[in-house]
Amino acid sequence: MSQRDRIVIVGGGIAGQAVAEALRERDPHVGITLVCGEDALPYDRIRLSEILVDGSDAATLALRPEEWFGDHDVDVLLGRWVEGGDLDAGVLTLDGAEELRFDKLVLATGSQPLLPPIPGIGLPGVHPFRDPADCDAIRASAASATHAAVIGGGLLGLEAARGIAAQGCDVTVVHLVDRLMERQLDPVAAAMLEPALADLGINVRLNAATQEILGGDRARGLRFKDGSSIEADLVVVSIGIRPEKTLAETLGVATRRGIVVADSMRTSHDRVWSVGECAEHAGMVYGLVAPILDQARVAADTLLGRTAAYTGSILSAKLKVAGIDLVSAGEAEGDTAAVVSDAAAGTYRKLTVRDGKAVGAILLGDVRGAEALVAAVRAAEEVTDPLEALAAASAAGPADLPDEAQICNCNGVCKGDLVAAVEVDGCTTPREVMARTRAGTGCGSCKPAVIDIVAMATGGLNEEPAYLCACRKQTREELADQIRAQGLRSVSEVAQCCGTGRDCGACKPALAYLVSEVNDNRHREERHARYINDRVHANIQKDGTFSVVPKMRGGVTTPSELRRIADVAEKYEIPLVKVTGGQRIDLLGVAKEDLPKVWRDLDMPSGFAYAKAVRTVKTCVGEQHCRFGLGDSMGFGIEIEKAWEGLHTPAKVKAGVSGCPRNCAEATIKDIGIVAVEGGWQVRIGGAAGASVREADILDTVETKAEAMRLSTTFLQYYREHADYKERTYDFVPRIGLDEIRRIVTDEQLGAALRERFRLAKAATIDPWLERDTPYHPRQFTDLDQQPEPTVVVGPPEEARR
Amino acid sequence: MTLACREDDVPPGEGRNITLEGTRIAIFRTDTGWYAVDAVCPHRGGPLADGIVCDHAVTCPLHDRAFDLRTGESPSGDRVTVYPVEVRDGEVYVEVVRAPVAA
């Protein structure tokens, strides 16, 4: 070890990580060692309830990727425990009797969940809610449990209850005192919270002192002090934390409830500091992230010999339960308070004042102006008229906030930091600002506020035109003009001529579509400009394998096709075969190098399920079979699919044809939907049932199939030519306006021109799965350590050479 | 330096994977040269060789994390290791340096 000072941090939680980061920010040279008792790098415990709700991988909670520690010269010991040491000599003893030398020591040992010493606490089915392993155990139990109970109605207990309710399990929150979240809420707000929780399937039982967890072999229920009981085969305990001070006591550092620290964050021993949930400052132990980060900054200063003092934190909290907006700060009650409440709407807004200064705020159901009010409480601002202050806050926009207003409580980022990221560092989007400042990367609840402030600082996010190439600030229209004027036929030619797509490459697929569309598909295809899905004509999955969906027009298949699909699934050991929402069969989990062989054995054309293209035309059986049928929806759907298949579009196009207004093919929520009605066909456009739901607009009702085909095809081509890349019809139709679209597609001349360009483009389409025999490149489907199939021909397939 | 492939093995503007000395590496061929970085995106394990490549950046196909192929850095704060590449007589060589192990 060199001459430089070495600071050892014991504890790999948020506090330990925060101290390491604050030290490295201040001093690039000081030696830092982080000793983590768990086998995992520090993770964000605040977001634990997210894992409980959606079951995502605990790795998504990592505070920093593994490389960060190497890059920042922070040594990490994973899965190692400190058993003791000699503070005066500057030596710690690790498990296995290994010694670790230090000049200064930081105890960031955190806390343990508090478990009440009641009978049955050790039964199977009883869990604390503290780490990812607890989340896994709770999720596993919730799947089979019939009734869950959460002991503890604080912030964390309510988040746990929400996570359990999200699994569809009935849950009751059991709380010792007469109101929920008594540290953050007054009785009125706490009472208003109950119906909001009930809407989420969470029952509340107050004044309930749990005396025993019932059940002989596993948890079966709870019995209370008043003798009553409830059933519960899953019990989660979240009644608070117990500072972890065992190591401090072994080392001879003074403790009370926690490890006692002075304003400098130094303990009773002058080489030892303590930060986080294990530390007791002025009689307070803090279990929230914002105070811990404040403490870490002070400790980093004093560890490096600078002067700094921690003077306590004003607590603020946001309940991270989807469907309930709740922010609180400071004290719940004071001398004077202004309250604006609407019981019917479930909103409650309160500003508490003592000695003429703001000391607390509660916002439930309506959190407008939360940042401004929390900032006022933190700064103990003078308030002469609290009612007026409340009203002003609800009207306040991001522009009205002071620079010191803290927006991201998790990472301690103020409005001024966000504005500086835009004005000084040149960030232009919320994403860039969040990457730079770390705002919004903790619990994520401040993201809307971050977006508002970035919009203000950049002068409005929506006023910018929709650039195809954001780096060079070129629009689709400008580039299309260039492509036409100069006769450009490939992405490379456009890149050479205009610089498009050279800086970040993000727009290359949009450019590839534009080049193909303007040239009526008589362009020079360059696979490097296409998404991987369009390079290998299959849909990439999260594990890097692909899904294969063969063409099945109108959702109609044959026994022979089904037999081939079954044979392929067995031969290539395809792990999942699924029927899709678009009435197709999806083979999931195919390795990239198997794709050509799978296509060959299927001997069916591509279903285009991976592309921004005409995907599917879904049909019901229609008048041929259905006793309600008014038109031949199945036959017409197949006809439409043949007419449109193979055409790429700005974003995917899903279509449907229903044989009567009962609409079994869901045509009213398709990009293009056709419905047989009495005496004709209704043509609808711009429908969706995805992230947003939109009923398709009626473009027109016509008498014959031929007219319906002509009208819908004309619209499809108009969309192909005028939508921005990735703009679905449900955004495109309202943007252009239904009347304007109707005027253009029904205009005799304009319509005829659109249909002529459609005909040209369609004539140049081919089945991309033919590349199984004529790939673009010998290694189109293989990595460098795999052997490509021997029969390859270099260059585009014959059909594409025009 | 280890021989990885021939120049023709990687289509222009694309990437391909290879395992060299036990390390999975993505090799890219762009208009400005050859680059090699870790094959797996540190975010959610996406295959970077399947990403969109431009002069000296790659964008992961799973969640659009972009990495500078010269430095391995991403605006998201994630980072991949960069390996030196040399092309001699139509053959591509990569220097497999191991990432420093934390003490």
Side-chain angles (χ1 to χ4, degrees):
Chain A
M1 193 89 325
S2 66
Q3 296 298 312
R4 61 184 189 166
D5 267 1
R6 173 143 303 263
I7 297 173
V8 170
I9 304 164
V10 181
I14 291 176
Q17 176 70 22
V19 173
E21 294 203 13
L23 281 171
R24 188 50 82 224
E25 267 170 30
R26 287 161 176 73
D27 186 333
H29 304 299
V30 66
I32 304 174
T33 302
L34 187 63
V35 186
C36 307
E38 291 175 45
D39 275 329
L41 287 168
Y43 63 87
D44 191 354
R45 201 189 291 282
I46 312 295
R47 285 163 56 214
L48 211 52
S49 60
E50 287 176 24
I51 298 199
L52 193 56
V53 170
D54 65 15
S56 54
D57 191 333
T60 61
L61 298 187
L63 284 167
R64 292 287 187 184
E66 197 179 338
E67 297 83 1
W68 184 91
F69 297 89
D71 294 345
H72 292 81
D73 193 18
V74 173
D75 294 346
V76 180
L77 302 181
L78 283 186
R80 300 301 302 273
W81 288 92
V82 178
E83 296 188 330
D86 181 342
L87 296 180
D88 295 326
V91 177
L92 291 178
T93 317
L94 299 184
D95 45 345
E98 194 184 328
E99 289 197 335
L100 182 65
R101 305 200 69 83
F102 66 87
D103 294 288
K104 288 167 183 164
L105 177 66
V106 182
L107 297 176
T109 45
S111 65
Q112 298 292 334
L114 203 55
L115 294 175
I118 53 174
I121 192 76
L123 286 174
V126 180
H127 304 280
F129 178 46
R130 190 66 190 149
D131 60 30
D134 295 334
C135 280
D136 290 346
I138 293 169
R139 272 182 71 83
S141 302
S144 60
T146 55
H147 194 112
V150 174
I151 304 179
L155 201 62
L156 205 59
L158 295 181
E159 290 181 11
R162 168 60 183 152
I164 293 166
Q167 318 296 309
C169 181
D170 198 18
V171 57
T172 302
V173 172
V174 174
H175 199 45
L176 185 63
V177 297
D178 62 355
R179 65 176 199 257
L180 295 167
M181 291 178 66
E182 71 277 6
R183 279 192 232 163
Q184 289 94 4
L185 299 183
D186 63 5
V188 182
M192 287 177 73
L193 188 54
E194 286 180 50
L197 290 168
D199 287 344
L200 297 172
I202 300 168
N203 308 306
V204 175
R205 191 176 171 122
L206 298 171
N207 296 311
T210 310
Q211 249 184 351
E212 185 184 355
I213 297 172
L214 303 170
D217 51 340
R218 55 162 296 115
R220 308 246 178 237
L222 301 182
R223 194 166 54 74
F224 304 108
K225 199 174 174 186
D226 64 6
S228 64
S229 63
I230 60 169
E231 279 182 30
D233 42 7
L234 165 62
V235 178
V236 174
V237 183
S238 177
I239 58 170
I241 55 169
R242 180 169 56 79
E244 177 52 64
K245 53 184 183 179
T246 319
L247 177 62
E249 285 166 349
T250 309
L251 294 172
V253 174
T255 64
R256 279 198 292 264
R257 204 182 134 211
I259 303 167
V260 180
V261 293
D263 288 355
S264 61
M265 300 312 293
R266 208 179 268 215
T267 67
S268 60
H269 193 285
D270 61 6
R271 289 178 99 162
V272 183
W273 277 249
S274 182
V275 169
E277 292 176 322
C278 58
E280 177 181 333
H281 173 266
M284 286 286 289
V285 170
Y286 294 94
L288 293 171
V289 69
I292 293 173
L293 296 177
D294 291 342
Q295 293 178 354
R297 284 187 279 267
V298 171
D301 278 333
T302 57
L303 279 160
L304 297 170
R306 305 175 192 180
T307 309
Y310 177 71
T311 53
S313 295
I314 289 168
L315 297 179
S316 66
K318 277 184 195 176
L319 184 65
K320 288 180 294 300
V321 167
I324 300 180
D325 292 322
L326 173 61
V327 174
S328 82
E331 299 169 30
E333 286 160 288
D335 303 343
T336 326
V339 173
V340 180
S341 175
D342 179 344
T347 64
Y348 183 80
R349 297 167 60 82
K350 175 177 178 179
L351 180 62
T352 303
V353 176
R354 177 176 296 123
D355 303 330
K357 289 177 174 154
V359 293
I362 299 172
L363 302 172
L364 173 63
D366 173 2
V367 295
R368 285 174 302 154
E371 291 83 9
L373 287 168
V374 173
V377 171
R378 279 178 192 279
E381 269 175 28
E382 285 199 20
V383 176
T384 42
D385 182 346
L387 203 54
E388 194 193 325
L390 257 187
S394 61
D400 305 313
L401 290 173
D403 275 353
E404 312 78 63
Q406 186 160 302
I407 307 301
C408 173
N409 289 326
C410 296
N411 291 315
V413 184
C414 298
K415 178 192 162 191
D417 304 327
L418 299 173
V419 173
V422 171
E423 290 177 353
V424 182
D425 302 325
C427 295
T428 56
T429 64
R431 226 166 93 167
E432 285 170 21
V433 171
M434 288 191 254
R436 179 168 288 271
T437 60
R438 313 279 300 160
T441 59
C443 73
S445 63
C446 66
K447 271 184 195 163
V450 173
I451 291 168
D452 280 352
I453 290 167
V454 173
M456 178 208 77
T458 53
L461 296 173
N462 298 325
E463 287 162 24
E464 235 185 7
Y467 292 121
L468 185 144
C469 177
C471 302
R472 301 288 170 114
K473 300 209 186 305
Q474 295 163 336
T475 63
R476 182 175 55 79
E477 290 84 355
E478 287 163 11
L479 286 163
D481 288 346
Q482 286 291 326
I483 294 168
R484 280 194 199 95
Q486 306 200 31
L488 306 176
R489 311 239 314 167
S490 70
V491 171
S492 305
E493 285 172 33
V494 182
Q496 209 157 27
C497 161
C498 314
T500 318
R502 295 199 57 170
D503 300 314
C504 79
C507 66
K508 281 168 74 177
L511 192 57
Y513 172 73
L514 186 66
V515 168
S516 72
E517 187 271 305
V518 172
N519 283 298
D520 297 320
N521 285 341
R522 284 152 180 82
H523 60 292
R524 191 159 60 76
E525 174 73 16
E526 287 173 331
R527 282 297 148 85
H528 63 79
R530 301 283 190 184
Y531 286 121
I532 185 65
N533 284 8
D534 283 313
R535 289 185 212 162
V536 299
H537 313 299
N539 197 353
I540 192 167
Q541 308 293 304
K542 64 190 275 192
D543 62 355
T545 65
F546 290 84
S547 86
V548 170
V549 181
K551 171 108 326 212
M552 211 169 265
R553 294 185 189 98
V556 178
T557 182
T558 64
S560 137
E561 283 181 349
L562 288 173
R563 207 168 280 126
R564 290 205 298 279
I565 290 170
D567 288 343
V568 163
E570 284 186 350
K571 178 172 171 186
Y572 295 93
E573 296 179 343
I574 289 168
L576 181 67
V577 182
K578 187 180 183 310
V579 175
T580 72
Q583 299 179 334
R584 304 300 141 104
I585 293 178
D586 194 351
L587 303 165
L588 289 127
V590 182
K592 197 201 280 173
E593 66 269 22
D594 285 339
L595 290 170
K597 292 176 267 182
V598 166
W599 299 337
R600 200 172 293 130
D601 288 353
L602 282 173
D603 194 23
M604 293 166 75
S606 165
F608 288 91
Y610 47 82
K612 301 194 191 312
V614 178
R615 289 263 178 109
T616 51
V617 181
K618 184 172 183 170
T619 66
C620 64
V621 292
E623 68 176 359
Q624 286 183 347
H625 303 271
C626 175
R627 63 204 163 98
F628 301 114
L630 297 172
D632 173 19
S633 49
M634 196 164 57
F636 192 22
I638 291 171
E639 209 178 304
I640 291 175
E641 193 161 340
K642 275 187 187 153
W644 295 351
E645 70 192 13
L647 278 172
H648 285 257
T649 42
K652 63 184 167 188
V653 171
K654 298 179 175 183
V657 183
S658 285
C660 81
R662 285 176 188 75
N663 202 18
C664 293
E666 297 164 344
T668 50
I669 48 162
K670 295 298 183 200
D671 293 291
I672 302 179
I674 294 176
V675 184
V677 292
E678 206 67 65
W681 299 87
Q682 194 179 61
V683 178
R684 287 172 170 260
I685 56 172
S692 58
V693 178
R694 184 176 192 274
E695 184 183 348
D697 296 315
I698 300 172
L699 184 58
D700 204 354
T701 303
V702 294
E703 284 181 18
T704 64
K705 277 206 284 193
E707 286 171 276
M709 174 73 96
R710 193 175 60 181
L711 190 62
S712 50
T713 302
T714 315
F715 167 73
L716 177 68
Q717 181 64 14
Y718 181 67
Y719 169 67
R720 292 187 70 237
E721 293 180 11
H722 293 274
D724 289 327
Y725 196 62
K726 293 188 183 176
E727 183 182 30
R728 292 285 301 269
T729 63
Y730 55 78
D731 287 325
F732 175 75
V733 170
R735 174 167 72 83
I736 304 291
L738 186 63
D739 289 341
E740 175 67 2
I741 291 174
R742 196 179 282 136
R743 183 186 72 76
I744 290 164
V745 300
T746 55
D747 182 282
E748 208 49 55
Q749 267 191 320
L750 294 173
L754 282 164
R755 286 188 294 277
E756 175 59 14
R757 289 194 295 274
F758 168 86
R759 197 186 59 73
L760 286 171
K762 167 70 182 172
T765 59
I766 50 161
D767 173 17
W769 285 4
L770 294 175
E771 286 172 28
R772 61 190 175 227
D773 297 320
T774 48
Y776 262 73
H777 186 277
R779 289 199 177 274
Q780 186 175 349
F781 303 101
T782 49
D783 274 323
L784 298 171
D785 32 24
Q786 294 164 330
Q787 226 19 61
E789 289 193 286
T791 57
V792 294
V793 178
V794 181
E798 281 306 313
E799 293 87 332
R801 286 190 186 143
R802 291 171 212 280
Chain B
M1 288 221 147
T2 313
L3 174 65
C5 60
R6 291 181 300 109
E7 258 188 302
D8 296 346
D9 283 336
V10 182
E14 295 191 31
R16 288 293 182 274
N17 291 315
I18 191 167
T19 301
L20 291 176
E21 297 176 29
T23 306
R24 196 75 177 146
I25 291 172
I27 298 178
F28 298 93
R29 176 184 187 181
T30 83
D31 283 350
T32 52
W34 288 78
Y35 304 92
V37 302
D38 290 332
V40 174
C41 178
H43 172 228
R44 294 277 179 94
L48 291 178
D50 286 344
I52 293 275
V53 183
C54 65
D55 285 359
H56 28 65
V58 61
T59 304
C60 177
L62 292 194
H63 306 100
D64 290 346
R65 299 267 161 143
F67 295 88
D68 190 315
L69 292 171
R70 297 164 298 183
T71 62
E73 283 174 7
S74 166
S76 64
D78 294 313
R79 179 193 276 265
V80 290
T81 305
V82 175
Y83 304 91
V85 186
E86 262 182 44
V87 181
R88 278 172 284 179
D89 303 330
E91 292 184 323
V92 182
Y93 294 83
V94 176
E95 174 92 53
V96 188
V97 281
R98 292 189 185 284
V101 180

